[in-house]
Amino acid sequence: MFHKSKFKLAALVGIALSVVSLLVHLLLANYSAGDFMQQKLRVDDFYPIGQKFRYRKLWGPVSSLETLQPYANTRTFYPVLKEQNGFIYAKIYGGFDNIRSAICDLVAITRLLNATLVIPEIQESLRSKGISTKFNSFSYLYNDEQFIAALSNDVFIVKSLPNDLKKARKKTKFPTVSPQNSAPPSFYLTEVLPKLKRSKVVGLIINHGGCLQSILPESMAEYQRLRCRVAFHALQFRPEIQMLGNQIVERLRAFGRPYLAYHPGLVRDTLAYHGCAELFQDVHTELIQYRRKQMIKRRLVHEGLSVDSMARKKNGSCPLMPEEVGLLLRAMGYPPNTIIYLAGAETFGGQRILIPLRAMYTNLVDRTSLCSKKELSSLFGPEYPLPSNLPHPPPVKSEKQLIEEWKKAGPRPRPLPPPPARPFYQHEKEGWYGWVAETDKEPDPSPLDLRMQAHRLLWDALDYYVSVEADAFFPGFNNDGSGWPDFSSLIMGHRLYQTASGITYRPDRKTLVELLETNRDNLYHPKRNWTVLVRDHLNRSLGVDGLLTEARLSKPASFLSHPLPECSCRTSKLPDISNPVKGKNGELLYGGEDSCPDWMVHGLAMVSVRATGAKDEEAEESELPEDDNDLEGDSDNGSRIDARPSEQDEEMDPDD
C-alpha cells in the first residue's frame, strides 16, 4: 500500500513538472519566436466594414493626419481676364505620369500668360496606328467636356483652333517652343509671351512632363491651387475607364474585405536610368543596358554604361523587388490571404519575378484576373486588325524545286558546309524583346507595338484609379531623383490630397535595404527585433515623419506628389503645429495650412455622426454568428479571390 502511494505521488509530481515546463516554453516562445504568430485581437481594435472587421493599424485611418482635408478653392481675388493674348496648343510626349503632370503645368502656364488653351494632344495615341476614331487624342484618356467645364472660371479652353488658324498651323507659320524640364515662370514671361502677342498662336512641345517649376513663390500660391484643381477635379477619366475601375473596386471588396494596392515600379526606363541592370539576369540585363546606352547618347545620363547595381540598390536608387515587398508586408502583419492589387502597365521581368510574392500572398490579382477580355477590349473602341510583327517562316519548297536547285548548284565535289549555328527557337523570337536574339540594334516599333503603347496608357489609367481608391498603398519605387514625375508619387499625392489619413506607406528604400541585408540569411524566419524595426519604420512612414521626409524628396520634383500646404486645410489647429515645417529653400511643407471653412467643418461633423451611428448598428449585427457557408468564392467574371472567414482570415497582430 505504501509503495502504491509513492508511485502516485511521483506521477503527480511528474505531471506538475511537465505542466510547468510547458507553460515556461509557451511563455518564452511568445517573447522570442521569430516567426509570425496569429493571435485573437481585441474587439476594440476593430471597426466594422460590412459584416467583417479589420485591424486599425493595418488599414487605418492615421490619427495624426485626420485633421487634413482637401481644399483647393481660391483664397484671394482671382478674376479671369477677358482680353486674351492668343492661343496655346501643345504636343505632349511620354507615358501616363508624364502626360498627367504636363497637362496640369500647361493649364497653369496658360493662366500665367492670359491665353486660351487648345486641348493638348497626347502623342502616344496620335502616333499609334489604327486607334479608334471614336476618340481624339485627349479624349482617349480623359473626359474633355468635364475638363472644359471644371476650369471655366480659371482659363478659356477650346477643342481646336479656328479654321483659319488651323490652316496656318499646317503650314508651320506659328512658332513652337520646347521648354526644359521644370522651367521657371520667368522663362514663359520673357521667352513665350512676346511670341504669343506677336503671332497670336504658340505651340509647346513637352517631353518628360513637368514643364513648370514645381515649387513656386508664395505670391503664386493660387497657381499651385490651380494645379490641384486640374489634377484632382478637372482631369477625370472618360466614363468607360471610370465605370470599369468602379467594377474592379467592387469586385475587390465583394466580400467586405479591404485591399492593398502595390505598384512595383519595375519600368525599363527607370531601371536603365539608375543602373539597376545587375538585379536581373540573361536577356533582361541586355535590354536594360541597351536602353541605358541610348540615354547616354541622348545625354539624359551623365555616367558610364556599367555601374555597380548592388551599390545603387543599397543607397536606395533601385526599386524594391516583389519578394522583398512580400517579406515587409509579412513583417507588418498582413495575413497570407490579404487581397493585393498589382498596379502598373509594365512590370519588367514579367511573371517570373512575381513568383515569390505570389507564393506569399495567393490573392495577388491584377486587371486581367478581375476583368474579362471583352471588358478590357471595350476601352479600345472599334479598331481594325493589324498584321502581326512576329517573324514569318520561309515558304516550304516542293521536292521538284529542291531537285532543280541541286542540279543548278556548283561543281562537284563540294566542301562540307560549316556546322549550323545554335538554332533560335520560336519562343525566343516572340515578344517585344525577340530582337536581342538576332541583332544588336533594337528595331523601330511596329504598328502593333505603337498600338500597345497606346493601350498601356489605358492600363495605367485604370490602375491609377483603383490604386487611389485602395484601402492601403505600397510603392515599390518612388522619388527616383531623376526630376521626372513617377507613377507611384502621383498616386501618393492624390491619396494625400483626397484622404490624408488613409494608409499610404512612404518607405525609405535605403533604410529597408539595410534591414533586409542584415537579415539576409533569415528573411523567411526573422527574429522579433528585426520585425519590430521594420514595423517601426513603416508605421512612422504613415504619419507626419514619413510625410515630411517624402515632401523634402518629392516636392522639388513634382508638386502633385505633395500638394501641401497650398491645397489643404485643417479642421482644427493642433498645438504641436504652432511652428510650420519648412524646406531648405523656405517653402512650407507641413503645418502652414489654412483653417477649413465653416461649411466644410459642419459637413464633416454631420458625416462623422452618421458614420458613428452606422458603426454602432453594424457592431450589434456583427455579434450574430457568421454564416459558415462563406467559403471560397468566385467573382462575377470567374476570377478567384480567396474569401475564407476562418482562422486564416484573422489579421496578424503587429504587436505580437
Side-chain angles (χ1 to χ4, degrees):
M1 192 74 180
F2 177 73
H3 292 291
K4 290 182 179 180
S5 300
K6 289 178 66 178
F7 282 127
K8 290 181 179 180
L9 181 62
L12 290 173
V13 171
I15 293 172
L17 290 174
S18 299
V19 172
V20 171
S21 176
L22 180 61
L23 292 175
V24 171
H25 277 81
L26 289 175
L27 185 63
L28 291 174
N30 187 35
Y31 285 97
S32 62
D35 211 342
F36 302 95
M37 299 178 61
Q38 297 185 7
Q39 295 183 355
K40 187 175 181 180
L41 302 175
R42 299 186 299 274
V43 177
D44 293 340
D45 289 332
F46 291 95
Y47 66 91
I49 172 171
Q51 291 186 353
K52 303 287 182 180
F53 290 91
R54 60 185 193 176
Y55 193 54
R56 280 184 180 273
K57 291 186 178 179
L58 297 181
W59 302 108
V62 181
S63 58
S64 60
L65 301 178
E66 283 187 305
T67 59
L68 283 174
Q69 299 296 329
Y71 187 52
N73 293 0
T74 56
R75 318 286 169 83
T76 59
F77 183 61
Y78 187 71
V80 176
L81 301 179
K82 295 182 179 180
E83 296 180 1
Q84 301 294 297
N85 290 322
F87 293 90
I88 291 179
Y89 69 89
K91 296 180 179 180
I92 302 175
Y93 293 84
F96 173 85
D97 40 1
N98 304 120
I99 292 169
R100 190 173 184 87
S101 178
I103 292 174
C104 299
D105 289 351
L106 190 60
V107 173
I109 292 167
T110 304
R111 168 73 191 188
L112 179 67
L113 301 181
N114 188 27
T116 298
L117 175 65
V118 180
I119 285 188
E121 301 171 358
I122 299 174
Q123 292 302 107
E124 285 295 327
S125 61
L126 288 179
R127 292 173 58 214
S128 302
K129 304 298 182 183
I131 291 298
S132 173
T133 56
K134 181 180 177 181
F135 313 106
N136 61 28
S137 175
F138 185 86
S139 63
Y140 192 68
L141 272 183
Y142 298 108
N143 187 336
D144 50 4
E145 298 292 346
Q146 163 67 20
F147 182 72
I148 296 173
L151 298 174
S152 59
N153 293 328
D154 296 294
V155 292
F156 290 117
I157 303 177
V158 294
K159 291 187 177 182
S160 63
L161 288 169
N163 291 332
D164 55 338
L165 297 179
K166 194 182 299 184
K167 294 177 181 178
R169 178 191 168 184
K170 290 181 179 180
K171 297 179 181 179
T172 63
K173 291 185 176 181
F174 301 128
T176 58
V177 180
S178 297
Q180 294 182 351
N181 188 31
S182 300
S186 58
F187 168 81
Y188 295 97
L189 293 174
T190 58
E191 299 292 333
V192 180
L193 184 58
K195 296 178 181 179
L196 179 64
K197 289 182 176 180
R198 186 166 53 250
S199 62
K200 296 302 179 182
V201 179
V202 168
L204 296 180
I205 300 175
I206 304 173
N207 296 288
H208 309 302
C211 56
L212 181 64
Q213 187 176 309
S214 174
I215 300 176
L216 299 176
E218 291 186 12
S219 59
M220 301 184 69
E222 290 298 345
Y223 290 90
Q224 300 288 58
R225 283 187 274 273
L226 175 58
R227 279 169 158 172
C228 293
R229 291 197 294 276
V230 177
F232 309 131
H233 298 281
L235 274 182
Q236 294 187 8
F237 299 118
R238 59 181 166 93
E240 295 88 349
I241 298 176
Q242 290 195 59
M243 189 181 302
L244 188 55
N246 282 325
Q247 290 179 3
I248 293 176
V249 173
E250 290 174 2
R251 290 167 186 172
L252 288 167
R253 292 178 177 154
F255 303 102
R257 293 166 53 187
Y259 72 95
L260 179 144
Y262 161 56
H263 181 249
L266 296 172
V267 181
R268 184 183 174 195
D269 286 349
T270 301
L271 296 168
Y273 182 88
H274 294 284
C276 305
E278 296 174 7
L279 302 182
F280 296 83
Q281 296 177 351
D282 306 328
V283 67
H284 295 99
T285 300
E286 296 181 41
L287 290 167
I288 294 173
Q289 289 295 82
Y290 182 87
R291 183 58 58 85
R292 183 173 174 84
K293 188 186 299 183
Q294 287 181 318
M295 290 184 171
I296 293 174
K297 289 181 179 179
R298 293 162 55 191
R299 297 184 180 179
L300 297 175
V301 174
H302 303 285
E303 299 173 323
L305 178 63
S306 298
V307 294
D308 187 351
S309 297
M310 297 311 298
R312 293 296 176 92
K313 184 175 178 64
K314 289 180 180 179
N315 67 18
S317 297
C318 292
L320 295 169
M321 302 304 281
E323 179 185 13
E324 297 170 335
V325 172
L327 294 169
L328 296 173
L329 294 178
R330 278 185 52 174
M332 285 299 296
Y334 288 96
N337 62 349
T338 300
I339 301 174
I340 299 179
Y341 182 82
L342 183 69
E346 177 186 350
T347 300
F348 193 81
Q351 292 296 318
R352 183 178 67 175
I353 206 167
L354 296 172
I355 289 175
L357 178 61
R358 200 177 295 278
M360 285 182 271
Y361 290 95
T362 55
N363 282 334
L364 179 66
V365 296
D366 59 10
R367 62 187 174 277
T368 60
S369 56
L370 292 170
C371 302
S372 65
K373 289 184 178 180
K374 183 178 180 181
E375 289 175 324
L376 293 175
S377 61
S378 66
L379 298 182
F380 307 151
E383 295 179 338
Y384 62 81
L386 292 175
S388 173
N389 61 342
L390 297 179
H392 297 285
V396 179
K397 297 180 181 180
S398 65
E399 184 178 357
K400 183 178 179 180
Q401 289 175 322
L402 293 174
I403 293 174
E404 290 296 327
E405 288 182 2
W406 172 262
K407 290 180 179 179
K408 294 178 181 179
R412 280 81 168 173
R414 302 188 187 91
L416 292 175
R422 183 187 76 82
F424 290 108
Y425 300 99
Q426 187 62 29
H427 71 271
E428 294 181 286
K429 300 180 182 180
E430 294 176 353
W432 56 271
Y433 53 83
W435 59 271
V436 177
E438 296 182 338
T439 178
D440 294 332
K441 183 179 180 181
E442 185 171 3
D444 294 331
S446 66
L448 188 60
D449 293 332
L450 293 174
R451 176 178 285 185
M452 293 304 297
Q453 290 178 12
H455 290 177
R456 196 173 291 128
L457 296 177
L458 300 177
W459 306 147
D460 278 333
L462 201 61
D463 291 346
Y464 183 93
Y465 186 91
V466 177
S467 299
V468 169
E469 297 296 325
D471 300 277
F473 178 74
F474 194 101
F477 191 64
N478 66 301
N479 290 333
D480 59 357
S482 65
W484 306 329
D486 62 87
F487 190 82
S488 291
S489 293
L490 291 182
I491 292 175
M492 295 164 72
H494 198 146
R495 291 173 61 86
L496 176 62
Y497 172 81
Q498 183 171 292
T499 310
S501 59
I503 294 292
T504 303
Y505 291 99
R506 304 174 182 91
D508 182 353
R509 289 187 302 277
K510 183 177 180 180
T511 301
L512 291 179
V513 170
E514 290 176 356
L515 289 172
L516 290 166
E517 286 298 321
T518 58
N519 199 48
R520 181 60 62 183
D521 296 332
N522 300 293
L523 286 177
Y524 284 87
H525 300 281
K527 301 299 181 184
R528 178 175 173 80
N529 59 346
W530 185 84
T531 61
V532 168
L533 290 174
V534 170
R535 291 169 183 170
D536 181 62
H537 173 74
L538 291 179
N539 282 328
R540 279 190 289 107
S541 76
L542 297 172
V544 178
D545 292 341
L547 195 64
L548 294 178
T549 302
E550 177 79 12
R552 293 187 179 96
L553 295 174
S554 63
K555 190 168 183 177
S558 173
F559 172 73
L560 297 180
S561 61
H562 185 81
L564 296 183
E566 294 90 344
C567 299
S568 63
C569 63
R570 285 191 180 275
T571 55
S572 62
K573 288 290 185 181
L574 298 182
D576 57 337
I577 309 298
S578 55
N579 295 322
V581 180
K582 295 187 177 182
K584 295 181 180 179
N585 299 322
E587 69 275 10
L588 286 174
L589 301 179
Y590 185 77
E593 298 83 6
D594 297 331
S595 297
C596 293
D598 293 337
W599 60 265
M600 181 182 291
V601 175
H602 294 322
L604 292 171
M606 292 295 295
V607 171
S608 177
V609 169
R610 292 173 184 172
T612 304
K615 174 181 175 180
D616 296 338
E617 293 177 2
E618 291 182 2
E620 292 176 2
E621 293 178 359
S622 64
E623 294 176 0
L624 299 175
E626 294 185 357
D627 189 1
D628 294 335
N629 295 325
D630 187 14
L631 301 177
E632 293 183 3
D634 293 339
S635 60
D636 296 338
N637 64 335
S639 60
R640 173 181 174 274
I641 295 182
D642 190 4
R644 292 185 288 264
S646 59
E647 295 83 14
Q648 290 186 358
D649 203 24
E650 294 182 0
E651 313 288 4
M652 294 183 181
D653 188 351
D655 297 323
D656 60 353

